[in-house]
Structures are given as structure tokens and as C-alpha cells.
Amino acid sequence: EQFGQKETPSARVTVARCYVLAPEAADDLTAAIDLAEFGVKKVPRIQWYLHTLGMVYLRAGQYDEAERRLRESLEVLSP
């Protein structure tokens, strides 16, 4: 398996998080958005997943969606 291609939400969200934490990791964050959205779709009530998705949207310049997901992450209690 290649890094980021696992079907587990945790693995995909971790890869998406790496995209946003690394300076100049990628010009096109479409892959990071897809990875983070996968995690949120599979397990929608995990605070860390929602926060990561919000960070990816913020880094991609999609500020309205970033704000929505970051606010949503504040409303969720992770297990």
C-alpha cells in the first residue's frame, strides 16, 4: 500500500494534516481535501477529523467552509 491510500479514516486524515502542517507542502490541496473529507464522511463526530478538514480548507483559501468545519469541531466531543 502507498502512504495515504489506506482505507482507514485515521490514516487518511493524518496524511491530510501533514499537507497543512508542512510549509509549502503542496500548491494544490485537492488531495488533502479529499483525504480529510473521507475521514469526516466515515466518522463524522470525531473532533480531530473536523478540525483537520477545517485546517485544510483554510490553507486552500476556502474560508467559509473552513470556518464552518472549525466551528463544528468545537461543538463535537470526541470519544
Side-chain angles (χ1 to χ4, degrees):
E1 286 180 43
Q2 290 188 350
F3 192 60
Q5 297 304 312
K6 287 182 140 186
E7 291 299 318
T8 64
S10 179
R12 289 186 179 212
V13 171
T14 299
V15 174
R17 197 167 188 86
C18 290
Y19 272 97
V20 297
L21 293 178
E24 301 178 28
D27 293 329
D28 181 8
L29 293 170
T30 303
I33 291 170
D34 290 345
L35 290 166
E37 283 183 346
F38 178 88
V40 171
K41 285 177 185 171
K42 290 288 186 179
V43 190
R45 304 292 295 167
I46 300 290
Q47 192 174 42
W48 185 73
Y49 292 4
L50 290 162
H51 184 262
T52 298
L53 183 55
M55 288 174 46
V56 173
Y57 280 128
L58 183 66
R59 187 84 183 258
Q62 297 182 31
Y63 303 117
D64 290 340
E65 191 63 23
E67 180 181 7
R68 182 174 80 85
R69 292 305 189 159
L70 291 169
R71 286 185 185 278
E72 190 177 350
S73 78
L74 293 173
E75 297 169 1
V76 173
L77 292 176
S78 294

